[in-house]
Amino acid sequence: MSSAAQPIEIDRQTMEVDIACAGFGPATGGFLTTLTQAWSQNPTDPAFESRVAPGMPLQVLCYERADDLAAGVSGVVTRAEGIRSSFPTLDPAEIPMAAAVKQERVFYLLDPVGASRRSALLRIGDFFLGLGKKFCLRDNAFELPWTPAFLHKNGGLVLSIGQFNQWVGSQLMASGLVQIWPGSPVAGPLFSDTKVEGLRLCDQGVDRHGAPAEGFMAGMDVQAQLTVVADGQKLDWRFGLPTGHARREWALGMKFVIELPEDTQLEAGTVWHTFGFPEPEIFGFLYVHPDRLVSVGIFMPSWLGDPQRTVYRYLQHYIQHPLLWQHLKNGTLRSWGAKSLEESGKHGEPFLTGDGFARIGEGSGSTNMLTGSGVDEAWTTGVQLGEAVIELLRGGKPFTQENLAATYEKRRRASWVERGAREAKNARTGFHLGFVRGLAGMALAGLTGGWLSLKTHIPPAPKQIRLLDNYLAGGLTLKQAIAVSLDDGRPLHDALMTAAGWPEISLDGRLLVTHQDALLMGGKVQAIPGFADHVVFLDKGRCIACQEKTCIAMCSGQAITLGADSAPAFEREKCVHCGACLWNCPHSPDGERSSIEFRAGAGGLHSAEN
Ligand SMILES: Cc1cc2nc3c(=O)[nH]c(=O)nc-3n(C[C@H](O)[C@H](O)[C@H](O)COP(=O)(O)OP(=O)(O)OC[C@H]3O[C@@H](n4cnc5c(N)ncnc54)[C@H](O)[C@@H]3O)c2cc1C
Ligand code: SF4
Ligand code: SF4
């Protein structure tokens, strides 16, 4: 008997298909592109006849949570090896906002503000760099004399993920061979013992707790021979992870898309990687698109212990660093976005295949945190699954775990994605011992192809957050922060940053705008009515007692605020679906998971430029 993700037991519409995909990102794009390219080259190949509806073509459907295929958030600079092998004659000019990589530079940013938390060792390093100011420092930045080979994106592309996904999606739709349904969140897989038999779509016409309300429409059950999963939280809950694996490393990537002033000197295809500011652990990027557009962003890692973690404000400080500000200051904010990255790589790799299902993309552990690259890896895992599925279809073989392992997993294990993942496995673990050791570990892993690195125990994400008491003991007093907070009624985490010495942001209404105003920029946050809340607090008592309230500090959209009863309150209308609340709670019910459950949901930020 099938059991599914949502509790409401009711007669549901069902549909039978051959292949159902959950989520449309680069991974599913690679999968569907591979399938449709082979199919359109051999339209009469009986392999592409449906098993569930004999005489009909293969039934392939993809359900995407967001309202638009262009609603993703990413950098992106990519070597694009996998993407180019799918499109050998690709001309970047075909994809809006795409440019060939022309120039790549890496900068260590010093702190011109004096507020970032730098260890004594780092301060000594900064002091010596300062002594050689005339020779090696410019605009408070030290440029690495070379770009390490593992970071290089030679021959690669600068992309907007929204535009790229839209470009891929429109070709797939035009092929007429597969269907992609945006605005269709998948509630979870349909299980039958250890087998996945398809997926269930979310109920609509429900109240915020998921109970049927006016216009109730039970989410359809889509029975599938093969379910392709790009996310997969519910699979992990059901099957667990392979022995020794855990998902403990995350980062929130937040970016602005800025229109540069007319006299800009920045050329399309320029790629800058930075580290050192606004906090040493925060890596940043600047990628220039054609038409005077630039993507600028930062990554807030889970190993940054501070409970404040106010990413939007940090990003505003980041763009004002002298190295960047000289180019950005007369620009205009066009849009922004945020998304969590699953950074555990091999440490968090789930079961890639099972009876009736296969996992691809970031959720399958493909993102390479040594090279800072996820798009091409995700795409390539999709391609590998596409090739495997074609092989099984042609061989008349069912989608069992054994067959998927012998085709998809085999290809993946033998590929550059796997080699890269192995090299990257321990590249960043040193950061759990501190910034300097983290950098040393990354350099070691990068320069030795992963043979050497700094290995250490990685604590669960909740344990990576320093408790407020420890944080305040580091020099601040709660009194100071509360005084700032009470002064103008701002949230405590914002006040903590001010009390720590970060200057107030001088808003200019054009590039430096309030977080609330940003929510309306570049396409707005939307929440289609009739869906349940996807952010659910599991234990109100625990939340009331919680001092840190990291979920509020970390919320990208100010969708989690402090309610009147001292418990956090969630507003779906402001949620950008970044997923940060999933890993930003120090008080875990089981030591691993957050006190928040992040369920499937519709809506989010709608910007086609991210
Ligand atoms: C700010 C930022 C900068 C980055 N910079 C770079 C870079 O420079 N280079 C690089 O290579 N990578 C970069 N990355 C990482 C890269 O974006 C990801 O690795 C890549 O997008 C992963 O692709 P994917 O297809 O696996 O997953 P995703 O792109 O996350 O796609 C998954 C899709 O599934 C959908 N989905 C999820 N759950 C459900 C559900 N329940 N029902 C239906 N749909 C669902 C999501 O809405 C999404 O569209 C960056 C990421 C961020 C956030
Ligand atoms: S969800 Fe976690 S961080 Fe947020 S208030 Fe509750 S216990 Fe605190
Ligand atoms: S509530 Fe929404 S915007 Fe806020 S952290 Fe969670 S997913 Fe992100």
Side-chain angles (χ1 to χ4, degrees):
M1 249 218 7
S2 291
S3 68
Q6 283 187 311
I8 302 169
E9 282 317 321
I10 204 164
D11 274 346
R12 290 175 187 272
Q13 243 189 316
T14 57
M15 177 167 65
E16 265 197 282
V17 303
D18 293 284
I19 300 173
C21 308
F24 184 79
T28 328
F31 170 67
L32 295 175
T33 299
T34 307
L35 195 65
T36 53
Q37 283 180 348
W39 191 353
S40 46
Q41 279 159 17
N42 305 280
T44 55
D45 186 340
F48 297 109
E49 191 182 312
S50 173
R51 286 12 174 208
V52 297
M56 300 274 289
L58 206 66
Q59 303 292 297
V60 184
L61 273 78
C62 176
Y63 296 99
E64 165 57 39
R65 188 198 61 66
D67 277 5
D68 197 304
L69 298 188
V73 180
S74 185
V76 176
V77 64
T78 171
R79 282 185 190 147
E81 285 167 13
I83 293 171
R84 281 193 195 276
S85 43
S86 294
F87 305 106
T89 56
L90 178 73
D91 173 3
E94 292 169 31
I95 311 171
M97 291 179 72
V101 172
K102 282 213 177 117
Q103 175 217 83
E104 238 181 321
R105 297 165 80 182
V106 186
F107 296 95
Y108 167 65
L109 304 183
L110 277 80
D111 172 13
V113 174
S116 83
R117 293 175 300 89
R118 287 170 129 70
S119 64
L121 191 60
L122 203 58
R123 281 178 199 281
I124 293 170
D126 288 356
F127 173 76
F128 281 110
L129 278 176
L131 286 182
K133 203 170 183 173
K134 276 205 175 128
F135 308 106
C136 56
L137 280 191
R138 221 173 146 188
D139 305 316
N140 270 282
F142 169 72
E143 181 174 0
L144 264 58
W146 90 111
T147 303
F150 59 86
L151 272 184
H152 253 305
K153 303 290 185 291
N154 277 337
L157 297 171
V158 170
L159 294 169
S160 140
I161 193 95
Q163 293 297 328
F164 176 68
N165 283 345
Q166 191 153 282
W167 180 77
V168 174
S170 54
Q171 295 185 54
L172 290 168
M173 305 270 227
S175 76
L177 300 174
V178 296
Q179 294 179 43
I180 308 172
W181 293 93
S184 308
V186 172
L190 294 171
F191 293 111
S192 159
D193 297 327
T194 57
K195 190 170 180 228
V196 169
E197 294 192 325
L199 49 83
R200 175 172 292 177
L201 299 181
C202 282
D203 293 336
Q204 289 184 52
V206 290
D207 67 15
R208 52 181 305 195
H209 306 293
E214 206 185 323
F216 175 70
M217 201 168 73
M220 185 166 44
D221 280 352
V222 181
Q223 306 273 355
Q225 305 274 305
L226 174 68
T227 305
V228 178
V229 185
D231 182 0
Q233 175 181 231
K234 297 249 166 60
L235 289 174
D236 295 342
W237 293 354
R238 176 82 172 210
F239 301 128
L241 293 174
T243 312
H245 288 204
R247 305 198 144 187
R248 294 177 165 179
E249 289 179 283
W250 301 85
L252 182 78
M254 187 180 279
K255 68 176 280 193
F256 289 156
V257 177
I258 298 170
E259 185 175 327
L260 294 164
E262 281 179 18
D263 59 353
T264 183
Q265 302 297 309
L266 291 175
E267 201 188 356
T270 298
V271 171
W272 291 359
H273 310 280
T274 73
F275 60 102
F277 182 82
E279 298 292 359
E281 303 91 330
I282 295 181
F283 288 75
F285 63 86
L286 177 146
Y287 308 147
V288 187
H289 306 276
D291 302 322
R292 285 193 289 114
L293 291 179
V294 64
S295 286
V296 194
I298 54 172
F299 297 100
M300 181 74 70
S302 51
W303 65 69
L304 182 120
D306 289 6
Q308 71 193 26
R309 301 184 175 201
T310 310
V311 192
Y312 184 78
R313 182 161 168 192
Y314 268 131
L315 180 51
Q316 289 186 319
H317 288 299
Y318 175 68
I319 64 170
Q320 292 182 79
H321 188 280
L323 178 76
L324 306 171
W325 194 236
Q326 58 183 313
H327 299 286
L328 304 178
K329 67 179 172 221
N330 292 320
T332 307
L333 185 62
R334 290 263 293 235
S335 76
W336 72 290
K339 202 189 87 166
S340 289
L341 277 106
E342 213 286 284
E343 296 202 326
S344 317
K346 286 298 278 180
H347 289 285
E349 189 186 274
F351 294 107
L352 296 179
T353 54
D355 285 337
F357 77 88
R359 298 181 66 167
I360 54 176
E362 189 161 297
S364 73
S366 62
T367 302
N368 184 321
M369 291 324 302
L370 175 62
T371 58
S373 173
V375 169
D376 208 33
E377 285 74 3
W379 179 273
T380 303
T381 60
V383 169
Q384 290 159 352
L385 181 62
E387 290 170 356
V389 163
I390 294 165
E391 186 183 327
L392 292 176
L393 288 173
R394 290 196 168 134
K397 293 185 180 164
F399 298 119
T400 59
Q401 194 278 329
E402 207 183 2
N403 289 340
L404 288 163
T407 51
Y408 165 52
E409 256 186 90
K410 190 175 162 204
R411 282 177 166 79
R412 182 155 164 176
R413 299 290 177 224
S415 73
W416 63 268
V417 176
E418 177 76 8
R419 277 194 304 282
R422 289 191 183 282
E423 284 172 18
K425 183 172 178 186
N426 293 309
R428 301 252 235 166
T429 50
F431 283 105
H432 292 277
L433 301 168
F435 172 68
V436 176
R437 277 180 279 184
L439 271 189
M442 202 167 157
L444 265 182
L447 299 173
T448 63
W451 283 99
L452 295 175
S453 57
L454 276 184
K455 287 188 202 125
T456 183
H457 169 70
I458 304 168
K463 295 230 160 66
Q464 294 178 37
I465 302 171
R466 280 192 291 164
L467 298 185
L468 198 57
D469 287 347
N470 303 342
Y471 176 74
L472 295 166
L476 281 177
T477 66
L478 188 55
K479 222 166 143 194
Q480 272 177 313
I482 290 175
V484 183
S485 171
L486 287 180
D487 225 20
D488 52 10
R490 77 175 71 189
L492 182 60
H493 58 87
D494 196 18
L496 278 167
M497 276 192 80
T498 299
W502 289 99
E504 299 297 346
I505 304 289
S506 310
L507 302 173
D508 60 15
R510 200 184 61 234
L511 178 52
L512 297 170
V513 303
T514 65
H515 201 168
Q516 288 293 317
D517 286 346
L519 291 177
L520 300 170
M521 289 200 145
K524 290 207 243 183
V525 177
Q526 294 185 6
I528 311 154
F531 283 100
D533 278 357
H534 50 277
V535 171
V536 177
F537 302 95
L538 297 176
D539 182 342
K540 191 168 176 184
R542 187 187 293 132
C543 287
I544 290 173
C546 167
Q547 268 202 52
E548 291 74 21
K549 305 253 184 328
T550 329
C551 58
I552 297 177
M554 193 66 183
C555 178
S556 302
Q558 293 193 328
I560 303 180
T561 48
L562 192 63
D565 53 2
S566 221
F570 172 64
E571 273 179 273
R572 198 162 74 86
E573 294 67 24
K574 290 185 183 169
C575 174
V576 302
H577 266 271
C578 71
C581 41
L582 180 70
W583 51 276
N584 274 288
C585 167
H587 304 288
S588 162
D590 63 0
E592 281 289 342
R593 276 155 69 168
S594 160
S595 287
I596 287 179
E597 197 172 299
F598 190 72
R599 299 179 180 163
L605 189 72
H606 288 233
S607 162
E609 292 184 333
N610 285 328

